[in-house]
Amino acid sequence: MTITQLKYVLAVAEHQNFTKAAEKTFVTQPTLSMQIQKLEEELDILIFDRSKKPIALTEVGAKLVQQARNIVNESERIQDIVDQQKGFIGGEFKLGVIPTIMPTLLPMFLNNFIKKYPKVKLKIEELNTEAIIERLLDGHLDAAIAATPLENENIKERVLYYEPFVGYIPSNHRLNQKKKIEMTDLDIDDMLLLEDGHCFRDGIINLCKTQKSYEEDHFQLESGSFETLIKLANEGLGMTLLPYLHTLDIKESEKNNLHYFNEPSPAREVSLIFNKSELKMQIIEALHSTIAGVIKGAIAFQNVQIISPLTKIKSD
């Protein structure tokens, strides 16, 4: 039994196809099939039921895959230990980012990080929180940036910042004349929300639930982007809440529609999260320090405090 054979098994288990698994592991399909067959013969079991389409794990194969993932992760820890001892910060690093953070935070730190750590090959993917958790646990992501807490015992969280919610309230809205708004002002019935699947949406609903009764069948407009929500609000269809960093790039003509909360402001906790196995910690530490640094700089420039703890609203 070899680590390479176990990696081939994991690839087939993921893609449920020998050809696709071979492409992902950069070997020919006959080579991959032969190595898996050798492992099956050595263990005297069938790992995959090849009669099914797509290929499926047998009962014992499913148990083997779970253990194989642990073994492969531990084998990678050896190289990780060597890299840390040498002070090497490099190699491939797969990072997930949730959609409501990606467009604002990524441009703030990415160029800085690439210049500072040129040997790191970042592979960044926009994913919702559910997909991020799944991929962190199965080893397909090294880390992610998401709203926390997630309350998952297999995932560790390192807080990056707390980001206040800001009201976007058009001129014809009932709250437009208020200089500062309160959480008690919010009404889910005139709130424009992101579509289902976004944790920021869940945070807003949770916030509104604490203020007024919430009925699932009330009329509401939903969208996949903050830009669309802003446009809908401008058309007089309601108000919305935006994460603070998103407001930094808003049009000058729309800034009068931004209304901040009286302190303490509702906010979301944003963290760098990773598997409890703590692989590639030197890169995780580099990411954390880089992001925290650029956030601190942005705050100093804007003279706005978003790092210190505020009233946190659970976002997922």
Side-chain angles (χ1 to χ4, degrees):
M1 182 188 308
T2 67
I3 299 296
T4 299
Q5 287 174 325
L6 295 179
K7 287 181 178 179
Y8 291 162
V9 168
L10 292 176
V12 175
E14 177 187 357
H15 298 287
Q16 297 181 285
N17 182 284
F18 279 83
T19 301
K20 288 182 180 178
E23 291 174 358
K24 294 296 182 180
T25 52
F26 306 104
V27 295
T28 63
Q29 189 269 329
T31 297
L32 179 138
S33 297
M34 180 183 66
Q35 288 298 322
I36 291 178
Q37 187 175 348
K38 279 186 176 181
L39 180 60
E40 289 177 320
E41 291 172 355
E42 178 185 342
L43 298 175
D44 193 25
I45 61 167
L46 281 178
I47 300 172
F48 297 102
D49 184 347
R50 294 161 174 80
S51 67
K52 292 185 177 180
K53 301 294 181 183
I55 293 168
L57 287 163
T58 61
E59 183 178 351
V60 68
K63 294 178 180 178
L64 185 145
V65 162
Q66 186 175 1
Q67 186 60 33
R69 188 169 289 121
N70 294 334
I71 293 170
V72 169
N73 283 342
E74 288 302 313
S75 71
E76 291 176 349
R77 187 185 295 277
I78 295 174
Q79 185 62 52
D80 201 46
I81 291 170
V82 173
D83 288 344
Q84 290 187 49
Q85 184 66 29
K86 292 180 177 178
F88 175 73
I89 301 178
E92 182 178 282
F93 192 86
K94 293 166 286 186
L95 179 70
V97 187
I98 62 172
T100 58
I101 291 176
M102 178 85 121
T104 52
L105 183 61
L106 197 63
M108 293 177 69
F109 81 86
L110 185 56
N111 193 41
N112 191 326
F113 183 84
I114 291 171
K115 288 180 178 178
K116 192 172 183 179
Y117 303 102
K119 293 181 180 178
V120 177
K121 298 178 181 177
L122 272 181
K123 291 190 173 181
I124 303 171
E125 191 171 1
E126 185 177 284
L127 300 163
N128 63 32
T129 305
E130 183 179 353
I132 279 175
I133 293 173
E134 181 181 338
R135 296 194 188 196
L136 280 175
L137 296 179
D138 66 19
H140 291 103
L141 283 179
D142 296 305
I145 300 172
T148 51
L150 299 178
E151 298 177 355
N152 187 307
E153 63 181 12
N154 295 308
I155 291 177
K156 292 197 170 186
E157 304 171 1
R158 287 197 61 188
V159 176
L160 291 165
Y161 55 90
Y162 298 112
E163 183 175 23
F165 297 171
V166 180
Y168 185 87
I169 305 173
S171 58
N172 60 353
H173 193 273
R174 61 184 174 84
L175 297 177
N176 182 265
Q177 298 305 311
K178 296 193 70 172
K179 290 183 177 181
K180 293 273 189 175
I181 57 176
E182 305 280 352
M183 287 188 286
T184 52
D185 291 327
L186 302 181
D187 186 341
I188 194 69
D189 289 314
D190 66 2
M191 186 76 66
L192 299 167
L193 301 171
L194 290 174
E195 61 193 9
D196 197 19
H198 291 273
C199 61
F200 191 82
R201 161 203 166 94
D202 299 335
I204 301 305
I205 290 176
N206 289 337
L207 179 60
C208 291
K209 277 181 179 179
T210 65
Q211 310 307 324
K212 300 178 184 291
S213 61
Y214 172 71
E215 298 180 3
E216 295 291 344
D217 59 353
H218 82 285
F219 171 75
Q220 66 187 52
L221 282 169
E222 301 177 1
S223 173
S225 72
F226 288 120
E227 287 72 19
T228 303
L229 293 182
I230 289 171
K231 289 179 180 178
L232 292 172
N234 290 340
E235 291 298 317
L237 295 172
M239 64 167 287
T240 193
L241 295 185
L242 306 173
Y244 172 75
L245 291 180
H246 190 88
T247 68
L248 300 183
D249 295 324
I250 206 165
K251 295 177 183 176
E252 285 295 328
S253 60
E254 295 173 333
K255 287 187 176 179
N256 287 337
N257 292 335
L258 296 177
H259 292 252
Y260 296 88
F261 283 87
N262 278 316
E263 297 295 339
S265 171
R268 64 174 175 178
E269 179 181 87
V270 176
S271 300
L272 187 60
I273 63 176
F274 47 94
N275 195 293
K276 70 175 184 179
S277 63
E278 295 189 347
L279 289 170
K280 302 185 181 179
M281 280 305 297
Q282 69 276 27
I283 301 179
I284 290 172
E285 293 289 349
L287 266 173
H288 189 276
S289 63
T290 300
I291 295 171
V294 298
I295 288 292
K296 186 176 181 180
I299 294 166
F301 179 75
Q302 296 291 332
N303 196 29
V304 174
Q305 179 59 270
I306 69 169
I307 287 289
S308 62
L310 303 166
T311 302
K312 293 175 284 182
I313 303 301
K314 186 178 176 183
S315 298
D316 218 0

